[in-house]
Amino acid sequence: MLKLKLKQTEPTTLDVELSCHTGELLALVGPSGAGKSTVLRCIAGLYSAQQGVIECKGHIWFDSVKSKNITPQQRRIGMVFQNYALFPHLSVRENIQFVLDADQQPNKPTVDQLLEKVNLTGLSERYPKQLSGGQQQRVAIARALARQPEILLLDEPFSAVDKVTRRKLYLELNTLRRELAIPMILVTHDLDEAAMLADQICVIHQGKTLQQGTPEHVLYKPKNTAVAKQVDARNVASAMLVDDESQLKLKWNDYLFTVGDSSKFKANEQINWTISPAKILLHQRVRASRGTRENPVTGTIINKMTLRGITTVLLEIDNTQGQQLQMDLPEHVAMRNQLEIGEKISVSLLAEAIHLMIE
């Protein structure tokens, strides 16, 4: 397990706390300049924060109070860089053998074993320029694994390959992570990538950890509006909590919504709320839907588009001074109900899906 807590005020601000269990993949997400790569460099020993502790598998790698900071060579780190950093004048075999020769650990794997692990058997004599972007990435991973690392760090490893290759590499990484009993940390700008691959997501903004949790929790139940903004949460709005027959309900314009969990809030409190577009239920025209009486609202379709079988519908909600909600539904449902721009429809906001947030 990796545990990390870092703080500094200059040259850039850091206030980061995160953890990654053995066998887990943790995705660090946030905008450019948020501090994600700086955190990786701190773990690798390439940069030292002013204050903090880094512990991996019970061993202290960095402790500012005890003035302990072991060298990058002493930390068993496997790292895959964004540009892969392969030696262009060395063959695939020589790139990997270079790391094996520098490693003094016993029972080292062979080049052929590492190539088999990343599905590159038979390409050992090629040079980096003779490989595709996906193949170069596999070589970089094999070279990182040659150190028999205690943790694997991946710094935007998919950004340099096309979408088709990327999907194949996602599957390979998913298979590989099940075989490696080590923490893995992935830096990415792609929220879909993080949601697909990670067990945990850590949101970092301006050098500060905003929230860590499962993809479902971080993406659909953000801690506050700052996290919601960083994870591109849809349907974020302000409302008032009111007491209705001894039950807290959400008053949004002329609507009064039943919500799932309001235990952390009190009546007459101005808060923010959000709901995933996938958790808004269409009142179907062809047949009645279960849940149509749960928080019903009516609105006019002002835009819609379809991508890969999912139709996104943008609604302008009645009696809200032009406020909008976004809904995602299967393409065949949109077609069957003949949803077109300008039409008025009704939907339900599922109570359990409405998430309440502080400012």
Side-chain angles (χ1 to χ4, degrees):
M1 178 179 179
L2 174 87
K3 293 190 291 185
L4 173 152
K5 189 171 184 178
L6 300 173
K7 280 192 176 184
Q8 71 174 32
T9 55
E10 55 183 27
T12 57
T13 300
L14 274 183
D15 185 5
V16 177
E17 185 171 0
L18 57 85
S19 62
C20 183
H21 289 271
T22 298
E24 273 190 349
L25 190 149
L26 170 67
L28 304 185
V29 301
S32 297
K36 304 182 300 297
S37 294
T38 301
V39 172
L40 284 198
R41 293 176 63 213
C42 287
I43 296 171
L46 303 174
Y47 180 81
S48 298
Q50 292 170 341
Q51 302 174 46
V53 177
I54 300 175
E55 179 184 337
C56 185
K57 291 192 172 182
H59 301 290
I60 301 298
W61 286 356
F62 172 72
D63 188 329
S64 58
V65 174
K66 298 180 180 179
S67 300
K68 183 172 184 177
N69 189 12
I70 67 174
T71 66
Q73 292 77 19
Q74 293 172 308
R75 306 182 190 201
R76 302 208 60 77
I77 294 289
M79 192 158 186
V80 178
F81 296 93
Q82 185 174 355
N83 60 0
Y84 310 139
L86 301 177
F87 297 118
H89 62 288
L90 298 181
S91 67
V92 169
R93 178 178 296 279
E94 290 167 337
N95 261 282
I96 299 172
Q97 191 64 53
F98 179 85
V99 177
L100 289 172
D101 290 343
D103 193 5
Q104 302 303 314
Q105 293 293 313
N107 304 317
K108 292 184 290 187
T110 66
V111 171
D112 291 333
Q113 287 172 333
L114 291 167
L115 290 177
E116 182 179 359
K117 187 179 288 288
V118 296
N119 297 316
L120 281 181
T121 301
L123 300 182
S124 60
E125 304 310 317
R126 293 193 184 181
Y127 287 82
K129 66 180 180 181
Q130 298 173 306
L131 302 175
S132 68
Q135 290 170 335
Q136 289 181 34
Q137 191 207 81
R138 293 188 189 104
V139 176
I141 292 175
R143 191 176 62 177
L145 296 178
R147 291 202 68 203
Q148 298 176 275
E150 294 181 342
I151 184 170
L152 183 62
L153 308 178
L154 306 161
D155 192 1
E156 297 192 62
F158 304 108
S159 61
V161 296
D162 60 86
K163 286 187 177 181
V164 174
T165 302
R166 196 177 302 172
R167 284 197 294 271
K168 295 177 182 176
L169 292 173
Y170 288 162
L171 291 172
E172 291 185 9
L173 179 61
N174 215 30
T175 300
L176 184 64
R177 54 174 290 209
R178 291 197 298 267
E179 299 174 0
L180 301 175
I182 59 174
M184 299 173 66
I185 298 183
L186 168 71
V187 165
T188 179
H189 284 94
D190 192 325
L191 289 169
D192 291 335
E193 185 173 286
M196 185 188 311
L197 296 173
D199 300 289
Q200 295 267 310
I201 290 177
C202 180
V203 181
I204 298 178
H205 181 55
Q206 295 181 342
K208 183 178 181 179
T209 299
L210 298 184
Q211 184 176 355
Q212 180 178 336
T214 64
E216 174 76 17
H217 197 79
V218 172
L219 298 179
Y220 302 119
K221 295 182 178 181
K223 181 179 178 181
N224 50 42
T225 51
V227 177
K229 182 178 180 181
Q230 293 306 316
V231 300
D232 194 26
R234 311 299 168 88
N235 302 329
V236 178
S238 178
M240 179 77 73
L241 275 177
V242 297
D243 192 337
D244 182 63
E245 298 179 355
S246 300
Q247 181 183 12
L248 286 183
K249 291 189 177 181
L250 191 70
K251 183 173 176 52
W252 183 54
N253 297 284
D254 290 341
Y255 294 99
L256 197 61
F257 295 149
T258 301
V259 297
D261 182 13
S262 59
S263 58
K264 297 179 181 178
F265 303 90
K266 58 182 181 292
N268 302 318
E269 187 174 4
Q270 189 77 25
I271 62 165
N272 290 292
W273 64 279
T274 182
I275 185 170
S276 166
K279 301 295 177 66
I280 296 180
L281 181 68
L282 173 68
H283 295 184
Q284 298 195 42
R285 296 169 177 172
V286 291
R287 70 171 187 267
S289 303
R290 289 189 300 174
T292 54
R293 295 184 180 180
E294 188 173 343
N295 297 332
V297 299
T298 301
T300 303
I301 300 175
I302 60 173
N303 205 347
K304 76 180 184 76
M305 63 180 182
T306 299
L307 177 65
R308 296 186 182 277
I310 299 297
T311 296
T312 297
V313 176
L314 189 61
L315 291 175
E316 186 173 289
I317 305 303
D318 293 348
N319 306 317
T320 62
Q321 293 79 49
Q323 294 198 48
Q324 301 170 357
L325 288 176
Q326 182 175 306
M327 173 177 62
D328 290 343
L329 65 165
E331 181 182 8
H332 69 86
V333 173
M335 293 178 64
R336 185 188 303 132
N337 286 270
Q338 299 179 334
L339 300 187
E340 299 295 341
I341 293 175
E343 293 193 43
K344 191 176 289 288
I345 62 172
S346 294
V347 300
S348 280
L349 310 189
L350 300 181
E352 291 297 330
I354 295 177
H355 174 62
L356 308 181
M357 301 177 290
I358 59 174
E359 293 290 342

